[in-house]
């Protein structure tokens, strides 16, 4: 049974600290005002305002004042305190609402343009509708009047459905720059102005020009481009689905134990060192360490690991993960903007906004693109007018409009960022945090990968792997006696033995007369039997015949395992082997890395024998053994000087220099410490499989980026000359501006949709 | 060539010259460094069809705060990226978003929208 009052003594004097965001600070003198107001409040011990960051750190006694009271103090001083919690959820909602409004407006504009396009198109071909040609024969007043009515309707479409093109063009012109809006507005305006002249003064054109207005072109192009923008906006919303999911999983409330009672409070009011109760099925509100109870926790939303993690006292729990079956208490260690989830969201958003180096080409092209297209359209006009067949003027104006409309700078601009957004989001879904577009692009080029042994390939802590007993002794009996004695030792190998007994479901018993000889062994009495544990020297000094045990021990040593000898009641009893166990899926992950064409190295400070043994077990082909920690970065550089593009995988702390030296540093983190500075890629989950997935996602994303860039460049490079009419002399083909409008809208939608295909990416070897 | 062709050709090339002059031959405006208030070099930038101002001169090693306010809903400008300072921020319409950093090198650094259509320059002098 768990009782809340157990914790009364643990939450001693209730000194808490909280960081709040501040709004309304206009000058440096506000700092003093706020600090004074806060310190005047009973229960607040410290207050320090950071003016540049607009935050305040407050140390206070949570038994006397609450966070909401502190907020009130700040408010009364004339400022407002914003949630210390990340406001990402609020801004996400606002953004979604904006996006939806944009989409709805675009669709309204499309419906108007589309509705008016239907009569506009039909009336351009009166011969198709029985009786219409008779009603309005060519060059009749009736036909001119119909054209005028169309003109009035088209004017509405142009200035309402097409309004954003003009405002967009104008805003850019003020900066002496041009964009997609410029091309569309100039293009449709040319068609529109020509149509006005053709309607009002048909006779100023030579007879053979058979002047016909382009009302249909004007409205259909606007309808198509606006529809394209609407679809693009929808599709772009999907690219950030992954981050939206992450933002949405934050817990709303927490059950904390304060003053001996249980209280449900908003999650943003949870303070560091609060004791939090989590019941079965509930979301863990913030990060912390379990203090009482045990449970299994579904961490898949953070780590990507589908199998629930077992948690007991001393284990780390991550906010926003879901408690499955047990009830437990934990002490909050990270709250608000410091939680793993908040850090992940921040990192992912930052990365999604970053640029991949490949985009530099696009940026350079973008600066020249639109004016160049305008120049080309003028050249096309002049070419047709001077050298084209009759009606020259009509051909000239069609090629001008078509060239302006078909060019699509947006497809180019969207190509890289949309794929990056989806790819980096996909990484986060699988527990892989890619720091930037730069990192992602580099990861694709990796051809050699160095894996740190301890903690990366292996679990990073010794575990009991083998037990060999002498005749007359039984495995579990020896283990129980040995573990009962080792439970009182602080030696790291002893811990492995105790853990081994726990896993075998053995209950320990008290040990007496315990004597430890540092570096050699331990002796004591358990259940009335004399137990000796230690080296062969220690045992033989106590008069035990150890020859048989030594023979067994010698089997383990070459395998990289450490033998522990045990004697019971003066008789040689057993040899335990303790080793840093290889993680369950290391071997498979390494095989996958090989299949991906990577050269795999293992780096370790261990001696050659031990290193080779592990390397053989997991299938690594190159071993860098006996490398001191400070030499690891040097080994990375040595590989680089041989022309390799090197990824280094290690923990973020000891291996930081090597991670930084590598072309790509992957930090195998675990738990809540996700903001690992030295790493280009952080794997939240400890498994090496994450390395495979990280490499794979990078490759898939870069492939997608390249498809997009190729498509967007190809489209423009082919489309623009065709629109200008280069095919006409050979095949008699000149595109209609309507087709150009459709192609332009379609091209940018295609780019975004192609990026969205990445959403269906599944990590290699994952079971769906 | 008939007179109308000559006229079209001359106007065509005139327009081309105009496009080149207008878009590509912008005068280089040298601006004074932005003022330092409370130890921070602060500048408000309006995002509407481009960045106003689009050239910002600052001093090295003094913290810079660029405040962006987006006054349009064109999705092109919804994000601003400062690749050289590894900063990027979403710009919700009408909200002031601060980007803080301290330039440690002199030179010219670009800030752009995510697709590179809107451009601005940060000139860092010693």
């Amino acid at each position: 049974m768990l009782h809340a009052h157990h914790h009364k003594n643990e939450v001693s004097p209730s000194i808490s600290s909280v960081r709040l965001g501040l709004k309304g600070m206009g000058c440096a003198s506000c700092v003093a005002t706020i600090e004074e107001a806060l310190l005047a409040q009973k229960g607040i011990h410290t207050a320090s305002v950071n003016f540049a960051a607009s935050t305040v750190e407050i140390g206070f006694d949570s038994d006397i004042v609450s966070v909401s009271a502190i907020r009130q103090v700040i408010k009364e001083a004339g400022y407002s305190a914003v949630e210390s919690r990340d406001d990402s959820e609020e801004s996400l909602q606002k953004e979604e609402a904006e996006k939806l409004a944009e989409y709805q407006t675009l669709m309204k504009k499309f419906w108007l343009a589309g509705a008016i396009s239907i009569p506009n198109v039909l009336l351009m071909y009166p011969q198709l509708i029985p009786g219409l040609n008779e009603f309005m024969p060519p060059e009749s007043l009736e036909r001119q009047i119909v054209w005028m009515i169309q003109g009035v309707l088209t004017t509405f479409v142009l200035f309402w459905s097409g309004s954003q093109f003009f405002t967009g063009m104008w805003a850019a012109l003020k900066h002496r720059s041009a964009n997609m809006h410029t091309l569309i507005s100039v293009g449709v305006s040319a068609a529109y102005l020509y149509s006005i002249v053709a309607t009002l003064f048909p006779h100023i054109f030579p007879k053979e020009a058979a002047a016909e207005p382009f009302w249909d072109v004007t409205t259909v192009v606007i309808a198509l481009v606006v529809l394209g923008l609407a679809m693009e906006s929808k599709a772009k919303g999907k690219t950030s689905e992954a981050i939206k999911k992450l933002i949405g999983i934050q817990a709303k409330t927490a059950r904390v134990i304060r003053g001996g009672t249980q209280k449900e409070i908003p999650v943003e009011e949870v303070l560091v060192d609060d004791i939090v109760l989590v019941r079965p099925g509930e979301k863990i509100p913030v990060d912390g360490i379990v203090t009482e109870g045990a449970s299994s926790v579904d961490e898949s939303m953070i780590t990507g690991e589908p199998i629930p993690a077992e948690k007991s006292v001393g284990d780390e729990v991550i906010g926003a993960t879901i408690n499955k079956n047990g009830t437990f208490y934990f002490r909050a260690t990270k709250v608000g903007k410091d939680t793993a989830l908040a850090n992940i969201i921040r990192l992912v958003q930052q990365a999604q906004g970053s640029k991949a180096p490949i985009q530099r080409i696009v940026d350079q092209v973008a600066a020249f693109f639109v004016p160049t297209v305008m120049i080309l359209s003028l050249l096309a006009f002049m070419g047709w007018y001077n050298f084209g067949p009759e009606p020259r003027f009509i051909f000239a104006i069609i090629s001008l409009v078509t060239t302006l409309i078909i060019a699509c700078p947006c497809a180019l601009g969207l190509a890289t960022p949309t794929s990056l957004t989806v790819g980096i989001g996909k990484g986060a879904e699988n527990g892989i945090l890619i720091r930037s577009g730069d990192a992602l692009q580099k990861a694709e080029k990796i051809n050699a990968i160095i894996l740190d042994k301890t903690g990366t390939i292996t679990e990073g802590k010794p575990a009991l792997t083998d037990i060999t007993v002498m005749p007359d002794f039984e495995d579990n009996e020896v283990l129980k006696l040995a573990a009962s004695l080792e439970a009182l030792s602080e030696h790291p190998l002893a811990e492995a033995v105790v853990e081994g007994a726990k896993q075998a479901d053995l209950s320990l018993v008290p040990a007496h007369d315990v004597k430890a000889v540092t570096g050699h062994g331990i002796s004591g009495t358990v259940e009335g039997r004399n137990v000796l544990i230690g080296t062969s020297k220690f045992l033989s000094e106590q008069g035990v015949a150890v020859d048989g045990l030594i023979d067994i021990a010698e089997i383990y040593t070459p395998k990289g395992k450490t033998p522990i000898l045990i004697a019971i009641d003066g008789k040689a009893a057993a040899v335990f082997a303790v080793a840093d166990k290889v993680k369950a899926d290391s071997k498979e992950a390494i095989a996958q890395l090989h299949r991906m064409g990577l050269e795999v190295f293992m780096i370790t400070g261990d001696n050659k024998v031990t290193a080779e043994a592990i390397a053989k077990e997991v299938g690594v082909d190159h071993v860098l053994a006996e490398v001191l920690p400070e030499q690891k970065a040097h080994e990375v550089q040595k590989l680089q000087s041989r022309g390799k593009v090197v990824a280094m995988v290690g923990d973020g702390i000891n291996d930081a220099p090597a991670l930084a030296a590598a072309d790509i540093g992957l930090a195998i983190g675990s738990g809540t410490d996700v903001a690992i500075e030295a790493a280009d890629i952080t794997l939240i989950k400890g498994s090496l499989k994450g390395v495979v997935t990280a490499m794979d996602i990078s490759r898939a994303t870069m492939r997608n980026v390249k498809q997009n860039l190729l498509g967007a460049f190809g489209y423009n490079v082919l489309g623009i000359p065709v629109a200008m009419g280069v095919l006409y002399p050979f095949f008699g083909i000149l595109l209609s501006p309507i087709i150009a409008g459709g192609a332009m809208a379609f091209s940018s939608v295609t780019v975004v949709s192609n990026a969205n295909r990445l959403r269906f990416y599944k990590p290699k070897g994952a079971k769906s | 060539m008939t007179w109308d062709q000559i006229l079209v050709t001359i106007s065509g090339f005139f327009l081309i010259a105009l496009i080149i002059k207008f878009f590509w031959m912008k005068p280089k405006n040298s601006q004074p460094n932005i003022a330092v208030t409370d130890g921070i070099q602060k500048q408000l930038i309006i995002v509407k069809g481009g960045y106003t101002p689009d050239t910002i001169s600052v001093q090295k090693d003094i913290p810079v705060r660029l405040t962006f306010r987006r006054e349009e809903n064109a999705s092109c400008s919804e994000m601003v990226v400062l690749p050289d300072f590894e900063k990027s921020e979403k710009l919700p319409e009408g909200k002031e978003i601060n980007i803080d950093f301290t330039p440690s090198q002199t030179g010219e650094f670009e800030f752009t929208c995510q697709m590179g259509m809107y451009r601005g320059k940060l000139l860092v002098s010693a």
Side-chain angles (χ1 to χ4, degrees):
Chain A
M1 231 355 230
L2 298 166
H3 289 290
H5 59 255
H6 281 181
H7 299 284
K8 217 170 172 181
N9 297 329
E10 291 176 38
V11 205
S12 56
S14 320
I15 297 299
S16 306
S17 76
V18 67
R19 189 166 72 223
L20 293 170
L22 289 170
K23 269 192 181 162
M25 282 204 301
C27 54
S29 69
C30 305
V31 173
T33 317
I34 296 171
E35 285 178 355
E36 276 165 26
L38 283 169
L39 291 172
Q41 168 75 34
K42 198 169 166 258
I44 296 180
H45 306 302
T46 58
S48 116
V49 174
N50 180 337
F51 182 67
S54 289
T55 56
V56 56
E57 290 271 356
I58 303 157
F60 64 103
D61 187 332
S62 60
D63 282 348
I64 301 174
V65 284
S66 68
V67 176
S68 40
I70 293 173
R71 246 186 237 138
Q72 191 57 34
V73 173
I74 296 173
K75 204 172 159 197
E76 278 161 14
Y79 306 91
S80 64
V82 264
E83 301 294 346
S84 60
R85 182 170 72 134
D86 207 36
D87 59 355
S88 50
E89 188 158 0
E90 187 198 338
S91 66
L92 178 78
Q93 280 163 355
K94 194 166 173 264
E95 198 188 312
E96 299 258 274
E98 266 175 35
K99 276 262 148 70
L100 186 67
E102 187 195 359
Y103 174 77
Q104 285 166 341
T105 315
L106 285 170
M107 284 312 283
K108 273 188 218 148
K109 290 178 169 183
F110 162 72
W111 288 119
L112 177 80
I116 292 176
S117 292
I118 296 167
N120 268 358
V121 171
L122 292 177
L123 289 166
M124 282 301 119
Y125 307 98
Q127 61 275 18
L128 296 180
I129 298 163
L132 198 57
N133 224 7
E134 289 68 44
F135 168 71
M136 38 176 278
E139 293 179 57
S140 64
L141 184 65
E142 284 83 357
R143 180 164 285 200
Q144 202 178 359
I145 289 170
V146 170
W147 283 353
M148 284 180 191
I149 297 168
Q150 283 184 272
V152 172
L153 294 175
T154 304
T155 307
F156 282 116
V157 174
L158 184 67
F159 292 110
W160 189 65
S161 295
S163 57
Q164 78 263 35
F165 301 128
F166 292 98
T167 49
M169 171 176 79
W170 181 243
L173 279 182
K174 283 197 283 192
H175 294 276
R176 298 184 75 158
S177 70
N179 51 33
M180 174 203 79
H181 299 298
T182 319
L183 293 175
I184 302 291
S185 1
V186 174
V188 294
S189 301
Y192 177 77
L193 292 175
Y194 160 76
S195 303
I196 290 180
V197 177
T199 301
L200 296 179
F201 315 105
H203 300 293
I204 68 160
F205 296 101
K207 187 98 180 138
E208 60 272 26
E212 281 201 348
F214 288 166
W215 300 126
D216 55 338
V217 169
T218 316
T219 53
V220 175
V221 166
I222 290 177
L224 287 171
V225 177
V226 168
L227 178 66
L229 289 176
M231 287 165 66
E232 185 190 306
S233 141
K234 256 262 151 80
K236 263 168 78 184
K238 285 193 195 140
T239 59
S240 44
E241 208 175 50
I243 190 92
K244 284 179 199 156
K245 267 194 227 159
L246 280 177
I247 292 171
I249 62 169
Q250 300 178 74
K252 304 276 180 288
T253 59
R255 238 181 265 283
V256 298
I257 312 300
R258 283 193 191 153
T261 54
Q262 205 192 97
K263 265 198 279 188
E264 190 162 344
I265 58 168
V267 70
E268 50 270 31
E269 293 193 0
V270 178
L271 305 166
V272 169
D273 288 338
D274 265 340
I275 296 294
V276 184
L277 166 66
V278 188
R279 293 188 187 149
E282 283 182 347
K283 211 172 251 186
I284 296 168
V286 295
D287 299 350
I289 290 168
V290 177
T291 54
E292 190 177 333
S295 183
S296 63
V297 174
D298 175 8
E299 296 187 330
S300 60
M301 59 295 286
I302 300 284
T303 63
E305 168 65 58
I307 302 159
E310 295 304 320
K311 303 283 179 184
S312 54
V313 175
D315 287 339
E316 224 177 24
V317 288
I318 310 173
T321 58
I322 293 171
N323 178 25
K324 305 281 277 190
N325 45 23
T327 299
F328 64 90
Y329 290 89
F330 74 93
R331 185 171 54 79
T333 53
K334 285 172 187 164
V335 300
K337 281 188 171 163
D338 302 322
T339 61
L341 180 65
N343 274 317
I344 291 170
I345 291 170
R346 196 173 42 77
L347 278 175
V348 171
Q349 278 178 333
Q350 198 73 39
Q352 286 181 331
S354 70
K355 279 189 176 182
I358 199 167
Q359 212 193 339
R360 304 245 169 204
I361 335 163
V362 182
D363 284 352
Q364 267 151 21
V365 173
F368 293 95
F369 187 83
V370 175
T372 305
V373 171
M374 291 165 79
I375 291 170
L376 290 173
S377 71
L378 284 168
L379 289 173
F381 185 92
M382 293 181 332
W384 281 96
Y385 197 81
N386 286 324
F387 312 109
E390 293 295 348
R392 291 178 294 142
F393 181 75
I394 303 294
F395 276 121
I397 195 115
I398 287 178
S399 68
L400 174 104
V401 173
T402 312
T403 308
L404 289 171
I405 302 292
I406 206 164
C408 190
C410 276
L412 277 176
L414 288 168
T416 324
T418 48
S419 303
L420 281 190
T421 305
V422 185
I424 290 171
K426 208 68 213 176
E429 258 175 43
N430 288 289
I432 294 156
L433 303 177
I434 302 167
R435 190 163 291 265
S436 65
D438 192 18
L440 193 130
Q441 188 174 340
K442 266 198 225 143
E444 183 223 3
K445 297 205 167 63
I446 295 300
N447 52 27
I449 187 160
I450 305 178
L451 308 172
D452 183 47
K453 194 207 89 183
T454 311
T456 299
I457 294 178
T458 66
E459 298 281 2
K461 60 173 192 195
L464 183 63
T465 58
D466 305 82
I467 299 176
T468 310
V469 286
M470 301 304 277
D472 305 332
F473 287 96
E474 197 257 323
D475 281 18
N476 280 349
E477 189 202 1
V478 179
L479 181 55
K480 182 182 165 188
L481 296 174
S484 297
L485 178 58
E486 291 276 46
L488 301 170
S489 163
E490 276 158 17
H491 198 273
L493 296 181
E495 216 174 288
V497 173
V498 174
E499 189 62 31
K502 240 195 228 174
Q503 301 220 328
D505 271 333
L506 300 172
S507 43
L508 304 186
V509 289
H512 309 282
D513 313 326
V514 181
K515 265 183 256 151
V517 183
T518 310
H520 296 282
I522 187 166
S523 66
T525 311
V526 184
E527 288 184 335
R529 303 177 75 176
N530 178 268
V531 183
L532 294 173
I533 306 173
T535 59
S536 55
K537 188 168 167 242
F538 177 71
L539 264 62
S540 58
E541 273 171 10
Q542 309 280 330
V544 180
V546 290
D547 292 352
L549 295 181
I550 288 174
D551 289 345
I552 300 167
E554 275 170 1
I555 304 171
Y556 292 128
T557 321
K559 289 186 184 163
K561 297 180 179 182
T562 310
I564 301 174
L565 279 54
I566 294 135
I568 293 172
D569 291 334
K571 275 167 76 183
V575 179
F576 290 176
V578 169
D580 184 4
K581 257 209 240 163
V582 168
K583 286 180 193 167
D585 48 11
S586 288
K587 189 175 177 180
E588 198 188 328
I590 288 165
Q592 275 173 336
L593 290 173
H594 277 134
R595 277 201 291 280
M596 293 173 88
L598 299 172
E599 221 177 314
V600 184
F601 294 77
M602 182 180 92
I603 197 163
T604 175
D606 288 356
N607 63 58
K608 277 225 168 65
V609 180
T610 312
E612 294 283 355
I614 301 267
K616 209 173 150 204
E617 189 184 340
V618 294
V620 168
D621 29 29
H622 307 281
V623 178
L624 308 166
E626 290 167 33
V627 180
L628 296 173
E630 58 271 24
Q631 291 171 344
K632 283 183 183 171
H634 181 63
E635 292 291 330
V636 169
Q637 285 155 350
K638 262 187 7 203
L639 270 184
Q640 283 169 328
S641 66
R642 277 165 45 196
K644 300 275 177 209
V645 188
V646 182
M648 168 80 202
V649 188
D651 74 62
I653 305 135
N654 301 320
D655 301 329
L659 292 183
D663 295 282
I664 283 287
L666 291 99
I668 285 212
S670 42
T672 61
D673 193 20
V674 294
I676 299 171
E677 283 299 325
D680 299 299
I681 298 177
T682 303
L683 309 172
I684 303 173
K685 183 172 56 162
S687 162
L688 264 188
K689 281 276 187 64
V691 178
V692 178
T693 311
M695 292 292 151
D696 201 41
I697 286 183
S698 307
R699 289 183 181 188
T701 308
M702 286 314 293
R703 202 158 49 231
N704 199 275
V705 166
K706 284 174 191 162
Q707 286 162 357
N708 272 351
L709 283 177
L710 191 72
F713 270 109
Y715 165 81
N716 281 299
V717 167
L718 296 176
I720 292 171
V722 172
M724 291 171 75
V726 292
L727 293 183
Y728 190 84
F730 311 105
F731 307 105
I733 295 172
L734 181 63
L735 286 185
S736 143
I738 291 182
I739 292 179
M744 187 268 188
F746 187 67
S747 69
S748 54
V749 174
T750 308
V751 162
V752 182
S753 307
N754 186 48
N756 269 326
R757 278 193 316 122
L758 275 176
R759 288 191 300 134
F760 306 110
Y761 168 87
K762 282 255 157 40
K764 266 196 180 158
K767 289 178 196 86
S768 49
Chain B
M1 262 188 161
T2 55
W3 65 269
D4 58 309
Q5 286 177 328
I6 294 168
L7 191 70
V8 163
T9 309
I10 291 174
S11 343
F13 281 113
F14 176 73
L15 283 175
I16 289 174
L18 209 67
I19 290 170
I20 293 173
K21 172 101 180 66
F22 185 78
F23 291 114
W24 292 335
M25 295 165 75
K26 291 181 215 176
K28 281 222 162 39
N29 43 351
S30 59
Q31 284 170 325
N33 286 350
I34 57 177
V36 181
T37 42
D38 304 315
I40 305 173
Q41 308 186 79
K42 290 185 191 173
Q43 178 70 53
L44 175 70
I45 297 167
I46 304 296
V47 184
K48 195 182 177 190
Y51 300 114
T52 312
D54 60 3
T55 308
I56 290 143
S57 303
V58 295
Q59 270 173 278
K60 195 181 114 166
D61 295 331
I62 298 175
V64 174
R65 167 172 295 177
L66 301 180
T67 305
F68 287 85
R69 193 167 73 217
R70 178 162 155 247
E71 294 184 348
E72 64 181 358
N73 59 11
S75 63
C76 309
S77 58
E78 69 191 1
M79 191 161 232
V80 64
V81 188
L82 288 87
D84 301 299
F85 301 97
E86 292 189 348
K87 294 273 177 191
S88 66
E89 281 300 335
K90 280 217 163 155
L91 307 174
E93 196 184 338
K95 201 172 165 187
E96 293 196 348
I97 301 290
N98 293 333
I99 297 186
D100 294 299
F101 56 92
T102 305
S104 55
Q105 284 181 334
T106 60
E108 211 179 284
F109 305 97
E110 270 210 323
F111 54 95
T112 68
C113 71
Q114 208 185 5
M115 295 173 221
M117 300 299 294
Y118 289 16
R119 282 150 189 276
K121 246 184 280 172
L122 189 77
L123 305 172
V124 183
S125 56

